[in-house]
Amino acid sequence: MRAPQALAALGLGVLLWLPVMGGGLGQLQNRLPVRENDDTNGAIYLHHAFHEAMTHGRLSLRDPDQLMPAGYDRLRADGGNSVEMIVSGLLRLILPWPSWLSFAHLIWIPLNLLAFVPLGMHLWGRLGPSLAAGAAWATLGPTLGQIEASRLTQVALFALPLAVLGLLRVAEEGGRRAIVLAGLSVAMLGLSYWFYGLFLALLAPGFLVWGLSQRPRRDVTRDYALAAAVCLSVLSPVLLAIAWPGLTGGWAPGAILSSEWASPVFPDALQLQGEQARHVRGALPWVTVPGLLWSLWRGQRRALWATLTALCFVFALGP
């Protein structure tokens, strides 16, 4: 991606703060752009705890004052979800409280848009459609809802379009750059929010099947194996740290969620009960419908996108 394209994406992302925040944009130096809830208070604590560990050079994220007497080992609980914490830590170096955490909520709109542009350019070859699709992607209703609730690790989605681009290029082109892009992007997605990395890994066979129809079987399987090796090499230190207590006979608190009602396959799968919406309106903004209809009629790679969409719905609904 060229510098003018990157600047256009970042500029558009910052401009999107105005319709997202409205008049509240001028209050970010005094209050957080959120609807106060338990996750907001937890986010404040977690950011301060993570930044304190970074400042003192501690790799351990264990807090002995939580879940006593065992303590709360954040790394073992969720893999650390450290990418967003590092970005917010950089903002903390230059901005006072609470401005740094306020902008840590909004910074992901331009960053996610920026990361979408390379995928858009690969798909359409033009900057305009890439920016438009990236803007819709960066301001999806569920994403803004996570920002409003201070669930910032779920908002750090910059690696997702890059991973899709990498997996697509491995399927259709191969080569060292595609392999490294796919492996690194999936790894970064897992470090940003482990659940996203897990689901994209589950979708990877869809790209593999598509690749088998595009290139020789041997080349495709070799390249995907190499991409998986790159991904695991990046994640292996974190995976080892997570597994270390179990490997050495240590003990840590079990899962917080009850196993009596959770799915044994996807414990956090959508249950469609209580006040949760029983339709896709909240997750499928109307702005995307024309694009979906056009893709069904004239789009490229329709079999691939239809397969991945169906798999995503299955994963979201659970068994």
Side-chain angles (χ1 to χ4, degrees):
M1 181 168 52
R2 299 174 180 175
Q5 296 172 340
L7 291 175
L10 290 174
L12 177 59
V14 172
L15 287 176
L16 288 173
W17 290 353
L18 185 58
V20 168
M21 287 297 300
L25 193 59
Q27 304 176 21
L28 295 181
Q29 72 275 16
N30 298 319
R31 59 191 299 267
L32 300 178
V34 301
R35 169 178 47 82
E36 187 174 353
N37 60 91
D38 290 342
D39 287 338
T40 301
N41 299 325
I44 294 173
Y45 155 73
L46 289 173
H47 280 81
H48 281 85
F50 191 100
H51 295 160
E52 182 183 7
M54 290 174 59
T55 302
H56 292 86
R58 288 189 286 109
L59 296 179
S60 172
L61 300 178
R62 182 177 178 273
D63 186 345
D65 296 327
Q66 301 290 326
L67 299 179
M68 295 179 67
Y72 175 54
D73 188 344
R74 185 166 181 267
L75 183 63
R76 189 166 188 265
D78 57 21
N81 293 341
S82 54
V83 173
E84 184 277 322
M85 294 289 180
I86 295 173
V87 172
S88 63
L90 295 175
L91 291 173
R92 189 174 180 176
L93 293 176
I94 59 176
L95 294 173
W97 168 263
S99 295
W100 64 265
L101 189 53
S102 296
F103 283 100
H105 285 70
L106 297 179
I107 194 67
W108 291 106
I109 294 177
L111 290 182
N112 289 341
L113 197 162
L114 173 67
F116 189 93
V117 170
L119 175 60
M121 293 296 294
H122 180 80
L123 294 176
W124 306 303
R126 291 185 296 165
L127 183 60
S130 302
L131 290 176
W137 150 256
T139 55
L140 284 175
T143 303
L144 297 182
Q146 299 290 6
I147 292 177
E148 185 185 27
S150 289
R151 302 186 188 105
L152 299 187
T153 51
Q154 287 94 315
V155 180
L157 288 163
F158 72 100
L160 179 54
L162 295 176
V164 171
L165 174 60
L167 292 172
L168 188 62
R169 289 184 57 189
V170 170
E172 298 178 345
E173 305 168 11
R176 181 180 302 176
R177 295 182 64 179
I179 292 170
V180 172
L181 176 62
L184 287 180
S185 298
V186 175
M188 288 301 296
L189 190 62
L191 293 175
S192 300
Y193 188 54
W194 69 271
F195 224 174
Y196 292 155
L198 171 63
F199 276 114
L200 194 61
L202 292 172
L203 291 174
F207 289 94
L208 174 61
V209 172
W210 175 256
L212 294 176
S213 68
Q214 306 295 310
R215 298 198 294 132
R217 181 188 301 268
R218 181 177 179 180
D219 294 345
V220 173
T221 53
R222 179 202 62 211
D223 289 350
Y224 272 109
L226 291 173
V230 171
C231 178
L232 290 176
S233 66
V234 174
L235 292 178
S236 56
V238 178
L239 295 175
L240 180 61
I242 294 172
W244 189 253
L247 296 175
T248 57
W251 178 86
I256 298 175
L257 297 176
S258 170
S259 60
E260 296 179 358
W261 59 267
S263 160
V265 181
F266 300 115
D268 293 331
L270 183 63
Q271 299 297 313
L272 290 182
Q273 62 186 7
E275 298 180 356
Q276 297 183 80
R278 297 179 180 273
H279 46 71
V280 298
R281 185 178 61 188
L284 189 66
W286 290 116
V287 69
T288 65
V289 173
L292 290 175
L293 295 176
W294 177 264
S295 297
L296 289 173
W297 180 38
R298 297 289 299 274
Q300 300 176 348
R301 307 179 181 90
R302 285 174 289 184
L304 172 64
W305 304 131
T307 300
L308 297 178
T309 300
L311 288 174
C312 286
F313 272 102
V314 170
F315 294 156
L317 294 175

